[in-house]
Amino acid sequence: MTIKTVTTQPFTDQRPGTSGLRKRVDVFQQPNYLENFVQSVFNTLTDRRGQTLVIGGDGRYYNREALQIILRMAAANGVGRMLVGQGGILSTPAVSCLIRKYRALGGLVLSASHNPGGPEGDFGIKYNVSNGGPAPERITEAIFQNSLNIREYYTLDAADIQLDELGEQQLGAMQVVVVDSVADYAELMEQLFDFERMSQALRSGALSIRFDGMHAVTGPYAHAILEQRLGAPAGSVIRGTPLPDFGGAHPDPNLAHAQELAALMFSPQAPDLGAASDGDGDRNMILGRECYITPSDSLAILVANATLVPGYAKGLAGVARSMPTSRAVDRVAEQLGIECFETPTGWKFFGNLLDAGRITLCGEESFGTSSDHVREKDGLWAVLFWLNILAVRQESVSAIAHQHWTRYGRNFYTRHDYEAVDAERAQALMDALRRRGSELVGQRFGAFEIEYCDDFSYTDPIDETVSQGQGLRIGFSGSGGGPRIVYRLSGTGTQGATLRVYIERHEPTPERHDQDPQIALAELITLSQQLAEIEAYIGRTAPSVIT
Ligand code: G16
């Protein structure tokens, strides 16, 4: 088979964001757009010849076409072997698992995560390195620089690979192995969790679960693990078939987009545990009967209960959270006497700490939690972790959360997103707030006095890479770290800009733990709008999404 060299022109907008390159489908469908980015990845991988790569996606619209294009280009670029998920399907944590297990050079994830799919929706591509985690900034930046100068790409004149047939096929000199999308991942889960105990509880009816696959990638994983291996009754997994447009819904596991599940969990028919995962299976949402657990609290509770789970029975080396995530986990780490790191938003920032064995569990407010078993956040892992805790403690999710808050206090937390706003206006808002930072310190607003205002900068403790401009933090004086408001512009949106405002305050008094967070945080929410002059800059009087 002959290798074809195709002449191309650079696109100027291929800088990866928080998690790879995400654009609207029609942007990716422009002639040479995907090819340019993929060739830029291969050009950056100077040691790719003869190596193994993993590839799979969340099944969204354009997944299969993109896969065939990338496979041909991989063969033309000298890759030795490609492991592909059957039907082109692999969840993000499964890609991470396969890269590690088969010692691959890296992998490509085709997904725009929780963003909507379909011809009018979004598509995305992300490169993961040999530890199984997202490429660090120095690599994504090298890919971007390459994309600005690209003049040609390489491909093969070859027929499509049969993506649905398990086993080996040949594409030019490259071997393509279509692998079972679920098997290796399920095996890894069995090593970490007490499957026997969970299975007994689920089969006897002592424990019940409803898992919402949101018509995205985790459906097949959840059917196989929760229903077939653990014996949860059929129907425990809803919306379990991946669809190219996710059934027309947002595959975003939060109360706004998993409405059927949320309604069930606040009804008399609620099972013990309700959970959902996103487009590519790395996010999770946890609910109990009449009880929603914020991702920040979920991380803190998993850390506090980790030794109940076989894979973590020896205890944790340390933990980490992204900066805007609530500080609930910090309190648990302090009591356990382990290190707690604060990193910028983006899973890639946990990679070095995990590789160095400094942390075992980590998480983010954006519905992401995971451990050192892979180098991605892992939705189903978090659900199994909760199931394992419930099977051991035999208490409700709500009781576990309330006991946790009684011991550590409750970090009331909310995130207000102002989506699809004018990008220049949003940047102007951030610049103005940054400029005013020093004059705000010491000012009092009602009961709140500003103690610090800074632009978060992170120095990686392992390789000392510095990442600046990671979000504006306004901290108020008070006990338990003091209330806090954080402002950031999202790095994953595809339309205009999204302003994220994260609001948090610690409440030590148990009698006040049952308040609605929007009420418990009402004054700070108003203050967050005033301090940044949100209406004046972006013309919005209320957020588009509240989580
Ligand atoms: C990605 C990243 C996460 C990040 C999230 C939100 O998640 O992997 O680390 O927290 O985006 O980022 P931003 O606030 O910049 O939009 P996912 O699930 O979208 O891949």
Side-chain angles (χ1 to χ4, degrees), residues 17-25 28 56-61 63 90-93 108-118 121-126 128 134 213-218 242-247 249-254 257 276-284 345-347 364 366-369 376-379 415 490-494 500:
T18 309
S19 186
L21 187 68
R22 287 186 196 166
K23 302 279 176 195
R24 293 176 56 87
V25 165
F28 268 104
D58 62 9
R60 68 177 57 225
Y61 184 82
N63 192 50
L90 279 177
S91 75
T92 290
L108 290 152
V109 184
L110 306 183
S111 171
S113 187
H114 54 290
N115 295 10
D122 291 340
F123 189 76
I125 176 166
K126 181 173 83 155
N128 280 26
M214 306 193 91
H215 285 310
V217 79
T218 35
L243 297 176
D245 67 347
F246 308 116
H250 278 243
D252 195 356
N254 57 37
H257 296 304
S277 191
D278 71 329
D280 60 330
D282 56 1
R283 296 185 173 207
N284 74 91
T345 294
W347 205 263
E364 295 188 277
S366 54
F367 297 86
T369 345
E376 284 282 3
K377 53 188 189 268
D378 189 344
R415 185 176 102 184
S490 159
T492 56
T494 55
R500 301 205 195 286

Side-chain angles (χ1 to χ4, degrees), residues 16 21 44 59 61 85 103 119 160 181 187 191 209 318 320 371 375 381 387 391 398 476 479 482 517 527:
L21 187 68
T44 314
Y61 184 82
R103 297 178 194 283
D160 280 357
S181 312
E187 191 184 295
Q191 290 162 17
I209 183 171
S371 83
R375 293 293 181 273
W381 168 92
L387 255 189
S398 168
F476 301 87
S479 62
L527 193 52

